[in-house]
Amino acid sequence: MNAKTARQYERYLVSNYAPPPLAAVRGEGCRLWDDEGREYLDFTSGIAVSALGHCHPRWVEAVRRQAAVLVHASNLFAVPGQGELAERLAAYTPPGRFLFVNSGAEANEALLKLARLHGRRRAGSEGERFAVVTAERGFHGRTFGGMAATPQEKIQEGFRPMLPGFRHAPLNDLNAFAEAMDDSVAAVFLETVQGEGGIFPADADFLRGLRELCTERDILLMLDEVQCGIGRTGSFFAFEEAGIEPDAIGMAKGLGGGFPVGAIWVAEACADLFAPGSHGTTFGGQPLACAAALAVLDVLEEDDRIAHVRRLSQPWIEELEDLLRAYPDRLREVRGRGFLVGIGLHGDPRALAGHLREAGLLAVPAGEQTLRLLPPLVAGEAELAESVRILRGVLRGNLDF
Ligand SMILES: Cc1ncc(COP(=O)(O)O)c(C=O)c1O
């Protein structure tokens, strides 16, 4: 990193992030360049955001065109792009409605407010039925709602008291969830595939069981697809594989392809819980954000990118499993689906990510002992093979991690 950026970081920025190892200044497709001209194969995708890779020409053109016409006018006025985007997204959901926000945490806050409104309707009054059951090892963002929903000491430490009413059960343990889902519970809320916690998918049977329990007990089933949604697992939403219909979904990250866009989808039966004045955001769903998200959908659909992810991910994951067999003392397991893959390690993922970066591959640590590989959905066979080659080279070396 050049001395000026390093000095400015040191002097002017709050140190809430670990010291950054490089300054990213340019991107194109699966490639990222730092300010010293070094090129990297970027399998972080800005933490599952840059679905089309960096600066996809059709995305850039759509954003450029909209920026010259109207960027923002607020939700005082209709934004035609919101209608368009909702209609396009509705092709991937059961009948329902959308509300646009700016980030994953903000989408989840809206879901948690939906849970409160549902609980009030069921109980007939406020403050009786508002508990939310979430999964251990989950992650839902850094707001007060997101933190309370995230049962991790490192996330909650220093910020107590948490918002009341949250309880947790182990992912994929249907009995434990059933036990937690008493009359005080308004919603069950979990990631379909846990991302930050280390790439742990919810089993299809578990999701189907939860769906049944939620219906029986009149509890909302709300899925956080902020990281695993928008094609990343090889279906538009990761829950599709289980063949269930949730009551609400949170999405963000890949939706804007790099522009901050989030949304919630709410099933028709509870969409009327939000009434004028019950929720809002100044920026959410502004014309520029909608244009960016529509460009993501255009490219995913025109280029059939989700089928591409399904087709290419299987052989890639098999190659990663070959590495597992070759280096059992370093690698523990390969988890995940599509282009959302975690390699469980015996050691520290931060150290391995550092060695990979030196060798030209960017990857993201997750959980305590997992390395995440999140290729853009446009990554081809050559880039996937290159990632395996770089990993193999690093694993062969006598490096400590
Ligand atoms: C599953 C999940 N939910 C919510 C969030 C929070 O999203 P944001 O950082 O956009 O607020 C994240 C971020 O990593 C996430 O992975």
Side-chain angles (χ1 to χ4, degrees), residues 284-306:
Q286 53 146 256
L288 191 57
C290 292
L294 283 164
V296 169
L297 294 184
D298 285 345
V299 175
L300 290 185
E301 290 168 4
E302 285 161 20
D303 296 357
D304 215 0
R305 280 293 157 194
I306 298 181

Side-chain angles (χ1 to χ4, degrees), residues 55-68:
C55 300
H56 190 289
R58 274 179 274 165
W59 185 93
V60 170
E61 180 49 33
V63 169
R64 205 195 295 271
R65 209 180 319 117
Q66 185 62 49

Side-chain angles (χ1 to χ4, degrees), residues 72 74-76 82 98-103 105-111 113-114 117 262-264 273-286:
H72 177 86
S74 89
N75 288 303
L76 289 171
Q82 281 189 36
F98 292 85
L99 188 165
F100 293 106
V101 295
N102 307 286
S103 68
E106 211 186 326
N108 289 343
E109 288 296 317
L111 291 182
K113 286 179 78 170
L114 180 80
L117 294 174
I264 64 165
L273 286 167
F274 284 114
S278 56
H279 194 53
T281 148
T282 300
F283 293 113
Q286 53 146 256

